[in-house]
Amino acid sequence: MRETRFINQMKEKWAEFEQILKSPSRAPDKLYDVFIHLMNDLSYARTFYANRSVRVYLNGLAQQIFVNIYKNRKSKRNKLLTFWTDDLPQLVFEAKRAFLIAFLVFLLSFLIGVLSSAMDTGFAEVILGEYYVEMTKENIASGDPMAVYKQKGEMGMSIGIAGNNLFVAFLTFVLGIFFTIGSLIILVSNGVMVGAFQYFFIERDLFWESFLTIWIHGTLEISAIIIAGAAGITMGKGLVFPGSFSRAKAFQKSARRGLKIMIGIVPIIILAAFFEGYLTRHTETPNLIRGLFIAVNLLFVLGYFVFYPRWKARKGFSASSNAYQLRADRKLNVQWLDVKNVAQMFGDTIVLCRKYFKTLLSASVFAALLYTGMAYFLSADFQSNFYFPQRLFGTIFSLSQFFTSEHWWMGLAFWLPLSLVVSLLYKRIFSKSSPQQQWMASFRLSFGLAIILICLSFFLLKAQLFWALFLLLPFLFLFVFTLYKEQGNLARQFQQSFSLMNKSYGKGIGLFFSISLIALLLFGALDTMIFSVFFELLAWIFPFEQAQLNLVSTLALTTITASILFFVFGMYFLAFAVFYHAAKEARDAVNLKTKIEQIGQAQRIRGMERE
């Protein structure tokens, strides 16, 4: 075909493409379709009119469209705002049945707490604790029933309450993995407790005083617990009703939706803690003002989580929450050089864990056996070094015993096996370097892990700095991978880590807490009755003396706990390997520049040389 004929046939279509490109309301999907058609025309022009102006024109137009497509994908202007105005309300609307179930379960449990307290005067002591009940009675006798909210300073009280409430909310959510039953149990427990607590004051003719005080913060706090329960039910629904997906894929989808709902209530929980620390204590405030404040909080909860999602549903959501399509397992590959959000980095971490699961698991178990053996043979009294509380998530609060001890070798005993786990993982994934480079990378890795353990020991020994540890760990994990990956001196590698984290610190914190939820689940399973039943069965089968049984139990629990701990640390290091590449691409855009340079270039087309 002659060039003039080709141009005459296509010029109307190209003019339409230019109008679409100039339109302020152009949609990314429309641009993508235009780009596909234009690339076909460009390929034809490059084949038959390589040195003509039509090829230059099409090449330039394709570049403009490509840049606009990438810009729309990357920026998504006002993404944080649209999360609150569109994404979260849509998720709430689509999970309305879960919200209704969570509310009804809590309400029924609340009524059970009220009726049980009315029928049994000792019920409140059983639920609330004898110490709390006696203290409240003394406060009532002294003329200040709400004195419990005035015992601590505002800031310290707010921080402590926020931490506790965040833990309870995330516990309510995470336990939804047990086919939603775990979340329902937490809702029942909290509902009965609140009902018994409220009736305790009703019984003493203090309803209005307690209501106008407690619900200043309780309106948001209890609403957050109910919403966390709904998020847990949403997550567990994927396991109970997988639909056309496999249970693993259905759970992957439902867990992502539930996690987004949980992220949405974090500010509410923190705000409720602020109210409890700073406002609830002012019982001298006029009743009308306190009542109006409670009404405003209630209207906010109902407006944002009930009426606004319905209004948005009638108006139409801007995008579907099902936009992310699950792919077949065998096709899941990590695209290292892409800019990613927290959900994508978390998903890539799960993909890596599944791909290298045998390596991670076997290395974790071997490292745990090595650690337990060193702790047993180097310690004069092995059992005195380890304590495992018999309560839900008790193991989490005793993990410091694996890093810190009066014995100097405990840190070393953990550091060496951990170096082995991470070295094996990184070697499997990034094993393209020479043996000498691998040896140097392993040395730098060990050095970085030593720094992490020093920081862990410091913060865990200083209990008042414990929360600062969670702000520091994401940087430390990134620093270790930077030491492994980058060449140069220590100062340059530290500066590189700081630069990457500085640009994406929020993403690093989000990724860290996403992996921490998995850790919470794994250690929570460890604290269930499974191991108690196992050890009782072991004692029944083998004629152990009590001292021998205690030793076997400590050895087994130490090995199992250490295995989970090494496994979780492996997940953290995989996650921040993904984070490193995503943050580097976001900062340097090396992959983007390469793609732009390749626009209009192709290997031989019908015998024509590359341009």
Side-chain angles (χ1 to χ4, degrees):
M1 184 187 302
R2 297 178 63 86
E3 180 186 4
T4 53
R5 184 180 177 186
F6 174 69
I7 294 174
N8 289 332
Q9 286 184 356
M10 300 298 180
K11 64 181 181 180
E12 292 184 4
K13 182 174 68 172
W14 298 340
E16 182 183 353
F17 291 170
E18 289 182 350
Q19 291 300 320
I20 293 174
L21 187 60
K22 295 177 182 178
S23 174
S25 60
R26 57 184 180 269
D29 292 340
K30 184 65 175 177
L31 283 176
Y32 180 77
D33 293 336
V34 169
F35 183 72
I36 296 299
H37 287 286
L38 194 60
M39 289 303 297
N40 291 333
D41 296 342
L42 178 60
S43 297
Y44 187 87
R46 285 174 48 78
T47 303
F48 296 103
Y49 319 115
N51 298 320
R52 307 294 293 180
S53 59
V54 64
R55 193 271 309 161
V56 178
Y57 164 77
L58 292 174
N59 190 69
L61 188 59
Q63 288 183 8
Q64 295 180 53
I65 295 176
F66 180 86
V67 170
N68 275 277
I69 291 174
Y70 195 95
K71 179 179 66 177
N72 287 334
R73 285 181 179 175
K74 178 183 177 182
S75 62
K76 294 184 180 178
R77 293 179 299 173
N78 301 323
K79 186 175 181 180
L80 180 61
L81 179 62
T82 57
F83 172 79
W84 300 104
T85 59
D86 283 275
D87 297 350
L88 183 58
Q90 182 175 2
L91 290 169
V92 171
F93 179 78
E94 293 174 349
K96 56 183 179 294
R97 290 186 179 179
F99 275 76
L100 180 60
I101 291 173
F103 173 73
L104 292 177
V105 168
F106 185 87
L107 179 62
L108 179 61
S109 305
F110 177 86
L111 295 176
I112 291 174
V114 171
L115 292 175
S116 299
S117 297
M119 297 174 62
D120 183 0
T121 56
F123 184 75
E125 291 188 0
V126 175
I127 298 299
L128 303 176
E130 184 178 351
Y131 171 78
Y132 184 83
V133 170
E134 291 300 324
M135 178 188 64
T136 307
K137 287 180 179 179
E138 292 176 4
N139 292 336
I140 294 173
S142 64
D144 191 0
M146 301 292 113
V148 66
Y149 297 106
K150 308 173 185 179
Q151 294 179 351
K152 297 181 180 180
E154 290 92 340
M155 179 61 73
M157 185 174 181
S158 297
I159 294 175
I161 291 171
N164 177 73
N165 291 347
L166 284 171
F167 175 77
V168 173
F170 275 99
L171 175 63
T172 306
F173 165 66
V174 168
L175 290 182
I177 196 174
F178 296 108
F179 299 93
T180 74
I181 296 175
S183 296
L184 295 176
I185 291 175
I186 300 295
L187 286 172
V188 170
S189 173
N190 280 274
V192 171
M193 185 182 300
V194 173
F197 181 75
Q198 188 65 81
Y199 187 81
F200 179 82
F201 292 99
I202 294 175
E203 192 176 27
R204 289 159 178 79
D205 297 324
L206 293 168
F207 169 72
W208 283 112
E209 179 60 27
S210 65
F211 179 85
L212 294 173
T213 302
I214 297 167
W215 292 95
I216 284 178
H217 64 272
T219 306
L220 295 182
E221 184 178 302
I222 299 303
S223 298
I225 296 299
I226 294 173
I227 296 170
I233 294 171
T234 300
M235 178 175 66
K237 183 181 176 181
L239 293 174
V240 180
F241 304 109
S244 59
F245 291 104
S246 66
R247 290 193 186 276
K249 288 191 175 297
F251 174 71
Q252 181 182 347
K253 181 179 179 181
S254 62
R256 184 181 293 108
R257 296 162 67 88
L259 181 59
K260 286 185 177 180
I261 295 174
M262 274 303 304
I263 293 173
I265 66 171
V266 169
I268 296 176
I269 295 174
I270 295 175
L271 186 61
F274 173 83
F275 289 164
E276 187 169 356
Y278 283 88
L279 303 181
T280 303
R281 64 178 62 235
H282 295 290
T283 55
E284 72 281 1
T285 305
N287 292 346
L288 178 61
I289 295 178
R290 291 194 289 174
L292 286 175
F293 188 82
I294 293 171
V296 169
N297 287 336
L298 181 60
L299 286 175
F300 164 73
V301 173
L302 293 176
Y304 185 75
F305 289 99
V306 179
F307 300 115
Y308 180 68
R310 292 184 178 182
W311 176 78
K312 285 291 293 183
R314 288 195 298 270
K315 184 180 178 182
F317 295 105
S318 61
S320 172
S321 64
N322 296 319
Y324 180 82
Q325 299 296 326
L326 295 176
R327 298 168 290 176
D329 291 345
R330 293 180 181 178
K331 296 181 181 179
L332 285 177
N333 292 308
V334 175
Q335 301 298 325
W336 294 101
L337 300 179
D338 283 348
V339 178
K340 301 170 185 175
N341 56 32
V342 174
Q344 290 169 326
M345 288 189 286
F346 178 75
D348 284 347
T349 303
I350 300 302
V351 170
L352 289 173
C353 287
R354 294 183 65 178
K355 188 173 182 179
Y356 300 100
F357 179 77
K358 291 183 179 180
T359 300
L360 179 56
L361 181 62
S362 58
S364 298
V365 173
F366 178 78
L369 290 171
L370 182 61
Y371 173 82
T372 305
M374 293 174 66
Y376 178 78
F377 288 108
L378 295 176
S379 176
D381 187 3
F382 171 75
Q383 291 178 258
S384 64
N385 291 327
F386 296 96
Y387 168 68
F388 300 96
Q390 297 297 313
R391 65 177 186 274
L392 187 61
F393 296 106
T395 301
I396 291 179
F397 296 99
S398 63
L399 289 180
S400 60
Q401 63 189 336
F402 286 86
F403 315 107
T404 60
S405 172
E406 59 184 11
H407 304 294
W408 63 270
W409 48 263
M410 287 293 284
L412 182 63
F414 187 84
W415 165 45
L416 291 176
L418 181 59
S419 299
L420 173 66
V421 173
V422 183
S423 296
L424 285 175
L425 277 176
Y426 286 171
K427 186 176 181 181
R428 285 291 309 276
I429 303 173
F430 311 102
S431 58
K432 297 180 181 180
S433 56
S434 64
Q436 183 179 1
Q437 290 176 327
Q438 290 182 20
W439 184 87
M440 289 299 298
S442 298
F443 175 78
R444 295 194 301 268
L445 176 65
S446 299
F447 179 77
L449 290 175
I451 294 176
I452 280 191
L453 284 175
I454 291 171
C455 293
L456 281 172
S457 301
F458 175 76
F459 282 109
L460 291 174
L461 284 172
K462 305 290 184 181
Q464 65 271 23
L465 299 175
F466 181 74
W467 287 104
L469 177 65
F470 294 100
L471 302 178
L472 180 63
L473 273 178
F475 173 78
L476 292 176
F477 288 131
L478 177 63
F479 178 58
V480 168
F481 185 78
T482 306
L483 285 173
Y484 180 85
K485 190 73 173 178
E486 298 280 345
Q487 302 294 326
N489 56 41
L490 182 63
R492 181 184 180 280
Q493 292 161 339
F494 183 87
Q495 187 274 335
Q496 174 84 329
S497 302
F498 183 81
S499 174
L500 293 175
M501 183 59 72
N502 183 48
K503 298 292 184 180
S504 307
Y505 182 70
K507 290 182 179 180
I509 291 292
L511 182 60
F512 174 77
F513 277 101
S514 298
I515 303 298
S516 298
L517 285 176
I518 297 180
L520 188 69
L521 176 63
L522 293 174
F523 286 114
L526 185 63
D527 292 319
T528 59
M529 297 179 60
I530 297 175
F531 290 100
S532 298
V533 174
F534 171 76
F535 290 127
E536 289 179 4
L537 181 63
L538 192 67
W540 180 67
I541 296 176
F542 300 99
F544 285 127
E545 296 182 0
Q546 188 61 42
Q548 294 175 321
L549 182 62
N550 291 339
L551 177 60
V552 172
S553 301
T554 305
L555 285 169
L557 287 173
T558 301
T559 304
I560 295 170
T561 306
S563 298
I564 297 176
L565 194 57
F566 286 125
F567 189 92
V568 169
F569 266 100
M571 292 189 67
Y572 280 125
F573 284 110
L574 287 178
F576 281 88
V578 176
F579 177 89
Y580 168 88
H581 290 89
K584 195 168 185 179
E585 175 62 20
R587 187 193 65 181
D588 301 334
V590 175
N591 191 37
L592 173 60
K593 293 175 182 177
T594 302
K595 287 182 178 179
I596 293 176
E597 291 173 357
Q598 291 175 348
I599 294 177
Q601 297 182 11
Q603 298 296 334
R604 299 168 179 267
I605 302 177
R606 297 188 182 180
M608 300 294 292
E609 291 290 333
R610 177 177 177 177
E611 186 175 9

